[in-house]
């Protein structure tokens, strides 16, 4: 008997917190062992890119370390409201964010940490014909890539006769995906799920980086989904490859302990119970025994003897209790409802066949084969390859509870938002969506460009408006209860000016410009959303704008937070707001006439609402 292996236990604890830092190595005795990659662990805990030349089992590519570092690198940005692009801005809890999704994911880290139940993304497939426009600072030029991948020497002379362009395509795509997936994992609830659509070009690499970020044990399924096939190959006698008739959805959980809910395809009408043959062709002598006067000479009975005899007794009990009244289906369902126990029944039919009862079914249990559903939607005029709402509705209905949040940070045509609204309208749920889409111009050859679309983000918002209107109209008098709006925001630079200057850079004439740290042109609503992010508050909270003593005051979540960012804050205004006893109050620092006025405001809150957290920005 040996004492517990504390080192192994500590490695397990580290793997729970940082799944990507454990790997495999050969120990001193020549055995394969699970170990901690301290270079990666140091990188998780440090603000620097670390170097580590030791070889190990892992997926690697030029630029990986810098890509991993970029996930932790802070940014001086914020989310600014776009009220004119929104629908039901003040009350809707849905979000549409325009901007680089890497920035958006960083900005949402505090407000939505551990709050997202489902993430679905449909990233660029990296086929060579598609394109991904994410201007990350770590994107490498050709010269840097050749040096990092060992294709040129110190003098820049190429060591290979041809440029490995395919390798760079993979490296750029992996560097784009890696930090986004790392940040996305933080946002998932403990039982949260990630769904990623992908095709054969990058599915192998995507699986490897997801294994590294989430842990290999968190991979639940690789789902196959049917895609439309173009029959252009029919004109040729031979082919370079068969047409691809399906794509994939990788399904990962926040941790390996997560259990998935059962997934069924609901029948339009419930299928009644039926009797089926109890004998099976599988040849197991131990499962051949006398039952109802019959002993098989080959094959086997479906269940072991004890369960079979109990099923016979259940059927005899049914016959004794019910005489020409209740059907076996009703008897089974009544017992199931009352006891939550599924009864088995076995009988011998009039022709002497031993049969078992197959209960009524309201749906068909589904596997990772989703070939019953079509991948592409063709539901918009502007997009050629958007996913179908039926596909997203299956995911949302299956994996997301009625009050939970769905995130899609490659929003594209906004199918995810459309699907969330459809499912809510169908079952009365109040699910919320958070969509992120880069404000890029559509490819000039795309249907969106031909339709005159300015940006993909604008097309996405337009689809949400149309879908929301249709759902509200279809709901009739109950349409006002559906949240079919969205709060439009955009990623932008911080609202605060850079006031860090050396004495040599500051003269007497510029001192007055340093009094207010807020950039010109930024509104009170801009400042409010930066406060929400800084405090880690939900960006989807309800907001009301009031006039108090002639000042614009923002009242958030029925008074949980009050804010006034005007250039002049009076003592009377402060006193009125303090009597409301909010949890938090925030003002513009330059709105106070002096430091004494700001200190006096804090004293007023201490007297009238001592539990209020008061801040000035």
């Amino acid at each position: 008997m040996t004492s517990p292996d504390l080192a192994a236990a500590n490695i397990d604890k580290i793997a729970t917190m940082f799944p990507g830092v454990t790997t495999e190595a050969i120990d001193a005795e020549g055995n394969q062992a699970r170990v901690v990659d301290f270079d990666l662990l140091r990188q998780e805990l440090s603000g620097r890119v670390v170097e580590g030349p030791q070889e190990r089992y892992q997926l690697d590519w030029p630029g990986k370390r810098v890509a991993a570092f970029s996930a932790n690198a802070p940014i001086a940005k914020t989310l600014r409201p776009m009220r004119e692009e929104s629908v039901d801005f003040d009350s809707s809890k849905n979000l549409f964010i325009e901007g680089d999704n890497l920035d958006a994911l960083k900005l949402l880290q505090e407000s939505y940490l551990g709050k997202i139940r489902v993430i679905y993304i449909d990233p660029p497939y990296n086929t060579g014909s598609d394109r991904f426009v994410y201007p990350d600072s770590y994107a490498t030029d050709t010269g840097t890539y050749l040096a990092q991948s060992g294709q040129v020497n110190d003098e820049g002379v190429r060591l290979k006769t041809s440029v490995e362009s395919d390798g760079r395509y993979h490296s750029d795509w992996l560097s784009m995906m890696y930090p986004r997936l790392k940040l996305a994992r933080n946002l998932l609830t403990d039982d949260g799920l990630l769904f990623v659509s992908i095709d054969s070009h990058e599915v192998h690499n995507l699986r490897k980086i997801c294994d590294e970020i989430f842990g290999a044990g968190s991979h639940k399924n690789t789902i196959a989904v049917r895609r439309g096939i173009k029959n252009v190959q029919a004109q040729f006698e031979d082919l370079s490859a068969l047409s691809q008739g399906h794509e994939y959805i990788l399904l990962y959980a926040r941790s390996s302990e997560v259990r998935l809910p059962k997934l069924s395809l609901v029948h339009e009408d419930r299928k009644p119970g039926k009797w089926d043959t109890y004998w099976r062709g599988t040849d197991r002598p131990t499962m051949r025994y006398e039952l109802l006067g019959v002993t098989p000479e080959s094959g086997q009975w479906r269940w072991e003897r004890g369960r079979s005899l109990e099923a016979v007794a259940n059927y005899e009990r049914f016959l004794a209790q019910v005489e020409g009244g209740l059907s076996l289906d009703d008897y089974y369902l009544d017992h199931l409802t009352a006891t939550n126990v599924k009864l088995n029944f076995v009988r011998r039919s009039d022709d002497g066949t031993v049969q078992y009862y197959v209960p009524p079914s309201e749906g068909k249990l589904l596997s990772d084969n989703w070939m019953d559903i079509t991948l592409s939607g063709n539901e918009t005029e502007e997009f050629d390859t958007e996913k179908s709402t039926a596909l997203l509705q299956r995911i949302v209905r299956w994996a997301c509870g009625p009050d939970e949040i769905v995130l899609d940070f490659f929003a594209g045509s906004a199918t995810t938002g459309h699907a969330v609204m459809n499912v809510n309208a169908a079952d009365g749920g109040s699910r919320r969506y958070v969509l992120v889409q880069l404000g890029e111009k559509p490819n000039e050859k795309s249907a969106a460009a031909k339709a005159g679309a300015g940006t993909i983000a604008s097309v996405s918002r337009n689809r949400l408006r149309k879908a929301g209107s249709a759902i509200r109209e279809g709901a009739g008098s109950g349409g006002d209860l559906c949240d079919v709006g969205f709060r439009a925001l955009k990623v932008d630079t911080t609202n605060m000016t850079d006031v860090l200057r050396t004495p040599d850079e500051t003269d007497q004439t510029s001192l007055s410009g340093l009094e207010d740290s807020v950039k010109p042109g930024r509104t009170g609503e801009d400042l409010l959303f930066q406060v929400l992010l800084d405090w880690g508050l939900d960006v989807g909270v309800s907001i009301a704008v009031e006039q108090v003593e002639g000042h614009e005051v923002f009242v958030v979540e029925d008074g949980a937070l009050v804010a006034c960012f005007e250039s002049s804050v009076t003592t009377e205004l402060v006193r009125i707001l303090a009597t409301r006893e909010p949890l938090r109050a925030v003002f513009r620092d330059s709105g106070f006439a002096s430091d004494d006025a700001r200190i006096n405001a804090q004293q007023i809150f201490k007297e009238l609402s001592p539990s209020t957290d008061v801040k000035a920005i």
Side-chain angles (χ1 to χ4, degrees), residues 147-195:
Q148 289 178 337
S149 58
Q151 296 183 52
V152 295
N153 61 19
D154 293 339
E155 287 74 36
V157 178
R158 188 172 298 161
L159 303 178
K160 298 184 180 181
T161 56
S162 62
V163 177
E164 191 186 9
S165 58
D166 285 345
R168 188 183 175 201
Y169 282 139
H170 290 300
S171 295
D172 285 350
W173 188 86
L174 288 166
S175 291
M176 183 271 294
M177 291 294 296
Y178 192 80
R180 290 165 171 83
L181 289 172
K182 282 179 68 71
L183 291 168
R185 182 179 182 271
N186 298 337
L187 301 181
L188 285 172
T189 59
D190 290 340
D191 58 350
L193 300 174
L194 168 74
F195 297 81

Side-chain angles (χ1 to χ4, degrees), residues 205-388:
N205 284 329
L206 180 62
R207 173 76 187 269
K208 289 174 183 175
I209 60 174
C210 285
D211 281 352
E212 180 175 322
I213 293 169
F214 287 81
S218 293
H219 173 253
K220 296 299 181 181
N221 287 101
T222 299
I223 300 169
V225 185
R226 178 166 56 92
R227 61 174 288 177
I229 302 176
K230 298 179 180 179
N231 294 320
V232 295
Q233 292 184 338
Q235 59 186 307
F236 303 109
E237 293 299 323
D238 55 7
L239 310 169
S240 60
L242 296 176
S243 295
Q244 185 172 343
H246 68 280
E247 293 181 7
Y248 307 97
I249 297 177
L250 294 190
L251 171 55
Y252 278 80
R254 176 66 171 78
S255 74
S256 59
E257 305 300 320
V258 174
R259 303 277 295 175
L260 302 179
K262 184 169 66 175
L263 176 62
S264 298
L265 179 62
V266 179
H267 301 312
E268 292 185 5
D269 298 309
R270 191 181 75 189
K271 291 187 175 181
K274 64 178 182 178
W275 291 98
D276 205 349
T277 304
Y278 195 54
W279 179 86
R280 301 175 66 182
T282 309
D283 194 29
R284 294 179 62 189
T286 58
M287 296 287 283
R288 294 198 291 265
Y289 48 84
E290 190 275 331
L291 182 66
L292 295 173
V294 179
T295 303
E297 296 181 359
S298 62
Q300 67 172 79
W301 293 128
R302 180 171 293 272
W303 301 325
E304 51 87 20
R305 182 191 297 270
R307 185 178 178 185
S308 298
L309 294 176
E310 181 183 7
V312 170
N314 287 340
Y315 187 63
E316 291 174 348
R317 190 177 302 113
F318 161 72
L319 294 177
Q321 293 178 359
V322 181
E323 296 181 359
L326 204 64
S327 69
L328 182 56
D329 283 359
D330 291 336
Y331 180 83
Y332 171 86
L333 293 172
D334 286 351
H335 187 275
L336 178 62
T337 302
T339 66
N340 200 31
V341 174
K342 297 179 179 180
L343 290 177
N344 297 314
F345 301 100
V346 170
R347 73 175 187 182
R348 187 170 180 179
S349 66
D350 294 339
D351 63 3
T353 303
V354 179
Q355 298 175 319
Y356 78 104
Y357 172 70
V358 180
S361 170
E362 294 186 355
K364 173 186 176 183
L365 192 64
L366 291 179
S367 66
D368 60 2
N369 181 348
W370 289 12
M371 301 297 279
D372 63 299
I373 198 166
T374 304
L375 188 73
S376 298
N378 297 322
E379 294 156 348
T380 66
E381 297 178 355
E382 297 88 354
F383 290 90
D384 301 318
T385 58
E386 84 273 15
K387 296 300 182 283
S388 68

Side-chain angles (χ1 to χ4, degrees), residues 495-572:
N495 294 311
M496 304 304 170
T497 56
D498 181 9
V499 295
L500 297 178
R501 302 184 185 180
T502 65
D504 292 340
E505 296 174 322
T506 307
D507 56 27
Q508 190 68 30
T509 58
S510 65
L511 287 176
S512 60
L514 300 180
E515 294 177 357
D516 192 353
S517 60
V518 179
K519 289 180 179 178
R522 300 299 170 99
T523 66
E525 204 160 59
D526 291 332
L527 296 176
L528 174 64
F529 276 84
Q530 182 154 332
V531 167
L532 294 177
L533 292 171
D534 290 344
W535 260 335
L537 300 178
D538 191 334
V539 187
V541 292
S542 61
I543 299 173
V545 183
E546 299 181 7
Q547 289 294 319
V548 180
E549 290 291 307
H551 295 78
E552 182 183 59
V553 174
F554 297 97
V555 181
V556 177
E557 206 70 359
D558 297 325
L561 180 150
V562 295
C564 180
F565 301 108
E566 296 207 351
S567 57
S568 176
V569 177
T570 65
T571 301
E572 184 59 28

